[in-house]
Amino acid sequence: MPGFSMAAGGLELPANFRSDPQQHPDSDTVLLFTAGGPVLTYHGENLRFWSVQWPGDLLTIPRGTPYVVDVLSEHVGATGYVVRSTSSLLADNLARPDLDHQASAKADAAREHWKNWTPAPGRCAVVPFESVAPVVTPQGHRIRPLVDGRPGGNTPGMRFSVGGLDVPGAFLAHPHHHPETHVLVLPTECPAEGALTLHGEQLEHDAVQYSGDLLPIPAGREYAHTVQNLSLSEPIGRVYEFRSQPSVLCDNPRLPELLPIAERRGRAALESLHGLDAVAEQLRAATPTQPRADLTKRPERTDWVMGFDAPCSGTGSRS
């Protein structure tokens, strides 16, 4: 993805794995483990702080923070993802062999005592998916601002953000684009039918994601997009959206002129999978005067937050 401002990789860590001490002087990092665990991370100068992650938790590691990842189990490894605010995971990697002794001592102690330790987060933050309440976006999504780097956010100073989505069955989002923001979409609990992203200036292209698939969406009007849950009834339980802005609540203008195209193409995709009668029945069960994006019950207006109306830090447009 030339020019993309975030990099992502898949992690497959064996049981009893411990990484070498390292840090990234000019890029922020988020770790997400989706299976296995627990995973401990020792971080900060002299590795004196520590955090524990379970599947689904995010760990933010601000730029310049030394850290070591430690898979405690001798029988079960851990799999997941690493995302960083740089164009390549092969850049901005500084080894810290001076911390080898501290890493070994910390790991030895953890195998005996970590369950009785009180987490010491330091500059890093563990963010469980359900620890942040959802809000409603202009696209009709319910999104949890899991990582928000604005001064008033839960991870101030982070250069990129992460949102957590749950997408109801048959949901179609309002078409939109991100003029100055790159987006990386990762569903981890997807129905068998998958999630359809329509994209392009006239939504002429499509991509189907299944659990574990990454979809990068560059900034700009030519990458307008919307998502259709291809299951009529089963929600996409968890979607993580990584964005190159400090907050997912920024830079989200809708494109209402594309809604008829989205509705036509989204319905055609559902009908090809489920048949005309099943889709018609699903639509009859919805409120007929609402747009497709509102087919499922949405939270009350009180779930909106000030972040939609307040200027965002960084260079993005307001939503």
Side-chain angles (χ1 to χ4, degrees):
M1 291 295 299
F4 207 72
S5 60
M6 293 181 290
L11 297 174
E12 297 182 3
L13 308 183
N16 215 31
F17 170 86
R18 191 181 81 231
S19 71
D20 294 329
Q22 60 184 305
Q23 68 187 73
H24 312 296
D26 197 41
S27 54
D28 297 323
T29 300
V30 168
L31 299 179
L32 166 64
F33 292 100
T34 55
V39 176
L40 268 63
T41 301
Y42 319 121
H43 46 83
E45 290 304 322
N46 296 317
L47 304 179
R48 65 191 184 96
F49 302 108
W50 76 284
S51 302
V52 59
Q53 276 180 274
W54 298 92
D57 295 348
L58 297 166
L59 175 67
T60 64
I61 305 175
R63 55 196 174 276
T65 305
Y67 70 97
V68 170
V69 175
D70 189 6
V71 180
L72 288 186
S73 174
E74 296 182 358
H75 308 288
V76 180
T79 57
Y81 300 83
V82 54
V83 181
R84 286 176 44 210
S85 61
T86 180
S87 59
S88 173
L89 295 179
L90 305 181
D92 193 39
N93 298 303
L94 177 64
R96 290 293 304 271
D98 56 302
L99 295 176
D100 283 341
H101 177 73
Q102 290 92 325
S104 179
K106 195 88 171 185
D108 289 344
R111 276 155 177 75
E112 296 291 332
H113 305 295
W114 75 271
K115 291 183 179 179
N116 299 319
W117 289 355
T118 300
R123 297 179 61 214
C124 299
V126 171
V127 187
F129 188 89
E130 295 182 352
S131 67
V132 179
V135 297
V136 181
T137 72
Q139 299 83 40
H141 279 303
R142 285 166 42 92
I143 193 166
R144 302 170 188 267
L146 299 174
V147 173
D148 192 315
R150 295 177 298 175
N154 64 338
T155 57
M158 289 287 289
R159 291 175 178 169
F160 70 101
S161 55
V162 187
L165 299 162
D166 55 277
V167 183
F171 177 91
L172 175 73
H174 286 281
H176 60 283
H177 73 302
H178 309 286
E180 300 181 35
T181 303
H182 295 166
V183 178
L184 190 62
V185 183
L186 168 64
T188 62
E189 297 178 4
C190 203
E193 296 91 337
L196 170 66
T197 295
L198 304 172
H199 60 97
E201 292 194 62
Q202 295 297 315
L203 304 181
E204 66 270 26
H205 305 297
D206 54 69
V208 178
Q209 284 179 275
Y210 302 96
S211 294
D213 293 346
L214 288 164
L215 177 65
I217 304 175
R221 173 62 180 81
E222 64 269 36
Y223 296 101
H225 55 278
T226 186
V227 65
Q228 171 79 71
N229 183 352
L230 292 176
S231 171
L232 291 180
S233 57
E234 186 177 350
I236 304 172
R238 289 193 181 190
V239 181
Y240 297 86
E241 273 202 13
F242 301 83
R243 298 193 190 179
S244 61
Q245 280 283 348
S247 176
V248 295
L249 306 182
C250 303
D251 196 30
N252 302 302
R254 295 200 306 183
L255 298 169
E257 69 275 16
L258 296 182
L259 184 57
I261 300 173
E263 291 179 327
R264 174 176 54 80
R265 295 204 65 206
R267 179 163 182 168
L270 290 175
E271 289 174 346
S272 70
L273 283 172
H274 304 285
L276 275 67
D277 292 343
V279 174
E281 179 63 27
Q282 173 71 23
L283 295 179
R284 277 195 297 269
T287 305
T289 58
Q290 291 182 325
R292 286 283 310 286
D294 297 327
L295 285 181
T296 57
K297 185 177 179 181
R298 293 165 52 177
E300 297 297 325
R301 182 89 180 171
T302 53
D303 278 351
W304 286 72
V305 296
M306 292 183 62
F308 284 114
D309 300 317
C312 295
S313 58
T315 58
S317 306
R318 295 194 304 174
S319 58

